[in-house]
Amino acid sequence: MSLPHALLTSLIEKPSSGSELSARFDRSIGHFWHASHQQIYRELAKLEQAGWVESFFAEEGERKKKTYQVLPAGREELKRWLSTEENLQPVRSPLMVRMRAAAVVGNNGLLYELERHLAQHEEKLEHYLALQKRDQARFQGTSTAKVQMMILESGIKLEYYWIKTIKEALEVLKEHPEEIK
Amino acid sequence: MSLPHALLTSLIEKPSSGSELSARFDRSIGHFWHASHQQIYRELAKLEQAGWVESFFAEEGERKKKTYQVLPAGREELKRWLSTEENLQPVRSPLMVRMRAAAVVGNNGLLYELERHLAQHEEKLEHYLALQKRDQARFQGTSTAKVQMMILESGIKLEYYWIKTIKEALEVLKEHPEEIK
DNA sequence: TGCACCATGTAAATAGTTACATGATTGC
DNA sequence: GCAATCATGTAACTATTTACATGGTGCA
């Protein structure tokens, strides 16, 4: 499970409250490990319990926000975790499962669903490309920045993969019967 | 959730017992939706309860096997499901999370873990390529076979993606400090 | 003053993993 | 006749999703 360590990473980058983390997750590390705000609040409480982070209420002026920051023990835990083994994440691709089903019973409206996913991946790609452009402009030349940009590029290539795959699937499935038997 | 429909698909392809399904899953549809044997047995019981499959005990000679086959209602359910909407599967990539962590605290042994994953993806690729070769030899020319081969090819390309991504990550991370701060 | 939205949660349901159990069969 | 393995599960735990709750703040 990567959530606690994804949160530690994000909090090292910048101490934050639950809601800030939740928002920030959606546009950074959450591209590789999604989490809902409910999960984040629960997990933050656990991290604090474990002594890996501490929290304080941010001063007046803004709404009251419970801000978390990583303690040395949390940083050590993150380092420890980096060298642990974890096998490949089992693949979970509902679209592929649907295509396999379509192979034996016919399309039955799957083309529309594929188009919808294609649009979602295209949107995601646009979003990533915009991030990349922004980051290149700000680029500091540090090793950390280089690694971060490499990760973003991997995300971009994954979207290209999906877009190409879905387009090819559409071509093949358009020739496939709407209904079998 | 795709598991019940993945099972229906697999059972339409060939009526099977739980253990056969479990074994077959590992070398076909399970490439896109993994399930343990425990999950499969539980889900088969639910499918039967729903009236989508029926079971009978296979005749003497072999070990006694509870064989399941899909009923017309199950086939209809599969068709119905194909036209339902389901949004993108949230991404879950522990390796990317680890790389992001490495960006801020240093490699700390991550290189070894990357090499290990690289080897696993290479093995998977070999396996898929062997399947592809076998299927091409048997190719029947049916529309169903075409769709199935297209799906396998998508799986192959995804492995190429990971192999390339991990190799690039290794290059960048080798230049990155082992430990930060 | 009341309505929308923000920040922080709790609760219940579902899905998936890990550990264990039981009887039957096959091979030595 | 005993060990290893197969086939079918059960149970407990963990992770994730979905639905709901509560108090505060800003603003029309």
Side-chain angles (χ1 to χ4, degrees):
Chain A
M1 224 265 295
S2 304
L3 180 56
H5 301 93
L7 289 173
L8 285 174
T9 301
S10 209
L11 286 176
I12 285 174
E13 289 169 0
K14 185 173 190 301
S16 321
S17 69
S19 60
E20 286 164 355
L21 262 180
S22 183
R24 210 137 57 74
F25 237 61
D26 288 346
R27 42 192 169 76
S28 63
I29 212 164
H31 297 144
F32 306 112
W33 198 276
H34 172 79
S36 63
H37 82 269
Q38 293 91 332
Q39 258 183 299
I40 289 175
Y41 282 115
R42 248 181 321 156
E43 202 61 41
L44 283 172
K46 283 189 202 166
L47 293 181
E48 187 161 28
Q49 185 110 50
W52 295 339
V53 304
E54 63 179 3
S55 67
F56 55 91
F57 278 92
E59 288 304 298
E60 302 282 311
E62 309 157 6
R63 296 152 175 283
K64 72 168 182 216
K65 283 185 179 175
K66 197 174 176 183
T67 300
Y68 291 84
Q69 64 190 6
V70 177
L71 293 170
R75 203 181 170 89
E76 286 313 308
E77 164 57 22
L78 194 55
K79 289 180 182 176
R80 186 201 61 76
W81 174 74
L82 271 183
S83 67
T84 60
E85 296 197 355
E86 184 178 11
N87 283 335
L88 291 190
Q89 186 75 352
V91 181
R92 293 247 132 81
S93 171
L95 223 46
M96 295 290 191
V97 174
R98 277 164 199 260
M99 288 188 222
R100 263 199 91 104
V104 296
V105 300
N107 287 339
N108 292 283
L110 180 59
L111 297 183
Y112 170 75
E113 178 70 357
L114 284 172
E115 298 277 9
R116 227 171 50 81
H117 278 240
L118 179 57
Q120 289 184 22
H121 282 291
E122 278 169 342
E123 199 178 318
K124 223 169 155 183
L125 174 62
E126 289 311 311
H127 174 59
Y128 287 180
L129 288 173
L131 285 182
Q132 190 183 43
K133 202 173 164 187
R134 189 201 64 185
D135 291 354
Q136 267 161 357
R138 293 186 187 167
F139 184 60
Q140 297 289 318
T142 65
S143 180
T144 293
K146 264 181 212 158
V147 175
Q148 285 167 345
M149 290 190 61
M150 176 271 289
I151 296 170
L152 180 55
E153 194 170 328
S154 306
I156 290 170
K157 285 185 182 158
L158 186 55
E159 294 310 316
Y160 279 125
Y161 163 81
W162 278 112
I163 290 168
K164 191 148 176 275
T165 294
I166 296 176
K167 282 184 178 168
E168 286 170 9
L170 277 166
E171 273 184 42
V172 175
L173 286 169
K174 273 175 186 158
E175 304 301 317
H176 190 66
E178 168 72 13
E179 190 158 0
I180 295 179
K181 206 186 185 184
Chain B
M1 224 268 292
S2 304
L3 180 57
H5 300 93
L7 289 173
L8 285 174
T9 301
S10 210
L11 286 177
I12 285 175
E13 289 169 1
K14 185 171 189 303
S16 321
S17 71
S19 60
E20 286 164 355
L21 262 179
S22 184
R24 210 137 57 75
F25 237 61
D26 287 347
R27 44 193 167 75
S28 63
I29 212 165
H31 297 145
F32 306 112
W33 198 277
H34 170 80
S36 62
H37 82 268
Q38 294 90 334
Q39 257 182 300
I40 290 175
Y41 282 114
R42 246 185 319 163
E43 202 61 40
L44 283 172
K46 283 189 201 165
L47 293 181
E48 186 162 30
Q49 185 113 51
W52 294 338
V53 303
E54 63 179 5
S55 66
F56 56 91
F57 278 92
E59 288 304 298
E60 302 281 313
E62 309 158 8
R63 294 152 176 284
K64 78 171 179 214
K65 283 185 180 176
K66 197 173 174 184
T67 301
Y68 290 85
Q69 64 190 5
V70 177
L71 295 169
R75 203 180 171 90
E76 286 314 307
E77 165 56 23
L78 193 56
K79 289 179 181 177
R80 185 201 62 74
W81 174 73
L82 273 183
S83 66
T84 60
E85 296 197 355
E86 183 178 11
N87 284 336
L88 290 191
Q89 187 75 352
V91 181
R92 294 247 133 82
S93 171
L95 223 46
M96 297 289 191
V97 174
R98 278 165 197 260
M99 289 187 219
R100 265 198 88 106
V104 297
V105 299
N107 287 340
N108 292 281
L110 181 59
L111 296 183
Y112 169 75
E113 178 72 356
L114 285 172
E115 299 276 10
R116 227 171 50 81
H117 277 240
L118 180 57
Q120 289 184 21
H121 282 292
E122 279 169 342
E123 198 179 320
K124 224 168 152 182
L125 175 62
E126 288 313 310
H127 174 60
Y128 286 180
L129 287 173
L131 284 182
Q132 191 183 42
K133 202 171 164 189
R134 188 200 66 185
D135 291 354
Q136 267 161 358
R138 294 187 187 167
F139 184 59
Q140 297 289 318
T142 65
S143 181
T144 293
K146 263 182 213 158
V147 175
Q148 285 168 345
M149 289 189 62
M150 176 271 290
I151 295 171
L152 181 55
E153 193 169 330
S154 305
I156 289 171
K157 285 184 182 159
L158 187 56
E159 295 309 318
Y160 278 125
Y161 164 81
W162 278 112
I163 289 168
K164 192 150 176 273
T165 295
I166 295 176
K167 282 183 177 168
E168 286 170 9
L170 276 167
E171 275 183 41
V172 174
L173 286 169
K174 273 175 187 160
E175 303 302 315
H176 190 66
E178 167 74 13
E179 188 156 3
I180 296 181
K181 206 186 185 180

